[in-house]
Amino acid sequence: FGPNIQAEADTLRGLDPTRLIHYEDRNDRTAQHKPASHFDIISNMYASPSEMEKLHDEDTTRPVILCEYAHAMGNSVGGLKDYWDMIYSHRRMQGAFVWDWVDQGLEKTTADGRKYWAYGGDFGDIPNDNSFCLNGLVYPDRTTSPALEEVKRMYQNVRFSLNDLNPLQVKIKNDYFFTNLDHFVFTWSVLQNGKEVKSGKPGILDLAPQHDTILNIPFETANEDKNGEYFLNLTFSLRNDEPWAAKGYPVAVAQFPVNIAQHGFLTRQTKKDPSLKIKDQGNQFIVNGKKFNLKFDKQSGMLVSWTIDGQELLKKGPELNFWRPPTENDYKDWNGYKAWKNSGLDSMERLAGTSVVRQINPNLVEIGFETLFRYRHNLNIQAYQQYLIYGNGEVAVTSWIQPNKDIQAFAKVGLQMELQPGLDNVSWYGRGPHESYSDRKASADVGIYAKSVDELWEDYIVPEENGNRSGVRWMTISGKDGHGLFVTGDSLFNFSAYHYTDKNIEEAKHTVELVKKDFITFNLDHLQEGIGTATCGPSCFPQYVLPVKNMTFTIRLKPFKSSPDIEKDYQQRSPMVPVVFSPQPVLESKRFFNSSAKVVLSASDKAVIRYTLDGDIPGRESKLYEAPVTINNEAIVTAKTFTDNTDALNNTVETFIKTPLANPELLNGGPDQGFPDSPMLLFDRKYGKVGDIYRDWIVYSDRDMLLKMDYRSKNPVKHIKLRFLQDFWWSVYFPEKITITFGYPDGSEKVVWQKSWSANDILNSASYYVKTYNADIEAGIPSSITVLASYLRELPDNMTNKPKHVFLMTDELVVE
């Protein structure tokens, strides 16, 4: 597969017309698949399962090959099962060959004697491919990664399927071509709530290559505990020692849920719980129980202290978290780092709002806090967290999330807290024992596992998100003295725990740059995005991208002094207290550009509306809305309804701006068809998203942008800021020249700022990046301003994958 594949094909056509290959370059976005009569194999590199199926359906006579599955750079190999499900379900498909086997890092030693794996650029080598040599399934020392576990499971040559539940039957297919299954020993076991309750060893199964059979498993789920969760485990292991592995080594494994639909929970009776007391003390709400107490900060709405028998569990209480340290795939993924960063998920301003504190009965206290998350003065997420504190020490934390439509994607949705050092022992009932994610979990069977916090950590050569455990039912984290936390969820959840901060993980480029802290970062996640293969393959598949929608999830935390009664605490749930939110106000206003605006507010149920103009969350003492509000200058209008029993989560926020500019006009015919065509986008304070060329950008293809505006201020212009995007993947480049011209009342014109860049300047800068150009100007008071941004006209002839069209993209212009 080289650049001259077509010429090679023409040569080969005269030799053997039966085995030619149609190759499509994923970087050529103009390529269209056109089956040719002389091809009998349709090939496509890096295609997603849906793209493979499309190729398959276009021509029903020829095989389809996925030449390469993906790199395994760092935390990767997401979606492998989706490919193999497709390949197994279509007889004419084959492929998913993983590149590469081993990370090609070289050992280096720091001045103080610490060893680490080095890669491109660590040897003064210029140019270099950075970490692109670290794309293996095993590390440089040949120790294995979790990704290899997934590959092993998908590549195993015995396939299993659940044939029937009553009686319990499994279908076994020998996918070997030359090996009878009598080379292996077959065993099965049944787990109830993670513990083995029955097993069998039929022993040797005589099954010829490419044949299948059905086996009965002597286990009747109908006779078992209806509240039990049962899994069937199947294993084929080596019957004898082999040169590559010892006797007993598992070569094929499968797990099936056999009555998961029947699993349910019991409501716990709370009447005999010890009583609780609430204190309103200074800046804190304090809840005291039998041998435990909790302290909440009024200003932040945070749980700041949780002690049991006088021993503190927390360094920092649980906060809502939507960010993760990016994987190497995330940096390339359409819905990854760029989308998260554009939405400010790692740098949102947190505003505390309405709080609810009440004692529902002697042994049940409810404390609720409203939070607004803002980014660049725009409302990103509204949240409300309800803490239900029970007399037995359990705390149920329910979070309501209401994201703004401008958020592109979440990295995760969950809670993050910092635990006191020493809570290093972790056990869990969920997928394991290695890390797993929504799109890489086929090899992580459900069971009960135990590891230390250090053992949960996966030491990727380039530090990144790692160590997640998914499909968790319950978990404990505790110290040597027996103190700890028991955690369950009202749905399956994810967790991870490590001794570093997310910021440290994100910024570190080598493992020796990680600095252990005197606390444990503890994540309890409702959902987390998959990991995909975007470093050298498709982005994370849509079914593994987190939906940006309203969400609710509950995490239950219960401290313990010694080993908890896991079965009892897991099976029983304390009763919930419903939260009723008051209606959200509706804000109506004609957008204004350089004149006043009127804001009209309304709400259903005749609720009282209060509002602020400075972005603060309204309280019961804020301005009462009685008539339309006139805004003459900039304002962030925040409105909220109040009823007799308000639980918040009902804010409406709108930012209004006023500029000295008028009648903005794009003089060169407007942007290309299909893209936003309003120059108002240049002044709306809604920043275009890196990686998303369809939202909040003005886009030109092979054309300059020419903008003219009237200036209606008596103040001189001092600065003009212009914001442009560069994204090589979509052939978007920075302008090669920017010219700003002032027009004056006497009809004269003057170029007041001009700057140009060569193609090399542009192409040697960041491959995807937003840049703000700052023009400092001393040229008096204009009557008009004209901005000409020239697109990059000539690309080097030797440029790899030279695009046919060049895009110029801009979105925000600021005149000061």
Side-chain angles (χ1 to χ4, degrees), residues 746-766:
D746 63 2
S748 62
E749 292 186 342
K750 179 182 179 182
V751 174
V752 298
W753 192 86
Q754 187 176 77
K755 203 162 187 180
S756 59
W757 300 265
S758 69
N760 284 337
D761 291 336
I762 296 169
L763 296 175
N764 287 332
S765 57

Side-chain angles (χ1 to χ4, degrees), residues 66 71 202 218 307 500 509-510 514 573 612 643 686 710 735 778:
L66 176 69
H71 270 287
T307 60
Y500 313 102
K509 302 304 178 186
H510 303 86
L514 294 170
R573 294 289 190 268
T612 63
T643 61
K686 291 186 177 180
D710 293 339
E778 294 183 5

Side-chain angles (χ1 to χ4, degrees), residues 47-71:
S48 68
S50 59
E51 292 169 331
M52 286 181 67
E53 189 163 38
K54 182 179 179 182
L55 289 171
H56 177 277
D57 293 342
E58 282 180 354
D59 192 316
T60 59
T61 64
R62 299 177 176 86
V64 175
I65 295 181
L66 176 69
C67 300
E68 177 185 324
Y69 158 61
H71 270 287

Side-chain angles (χ1 to χ4, degrees), residues 677-732:
D677 59 1
S678 171
M680 300 291 285
L681 287 174
L682 289 169
F683 311 100
D684 63 1
R685 288 189 180 175
K686 291 186 177 180
Y687 289 79
K689 313 296 190 258
V690 179
D692 185 349
I693 63 175
Y694 292 97
R695 279 205 287 186
D696 299 324
W697 290 105
I698 291 180
V699 186
Y700 291 93
S701 175
D702 301 322
R703 289 192 297 123
D704 300 332
M705 183 196 79
L706 182 60
L707 173 74
K708 186 172 183 179
M709 304 153 284
D710 293 339
Y711 184 71
R712 297 181 179 178
S713 172
K714 296 180 180 180
N715 298 316
V717 175
K718 294 294 185 182
H719 310 280
I720 294 180
K721 299 178 181 179
L722 305 98
R723 188 172 184 265
F724 289 89
L725 170 71
Q726 181 151 280
D727 193 332
F728 291 172
W729 183 262
W730 295 105
S731 306
V732 180

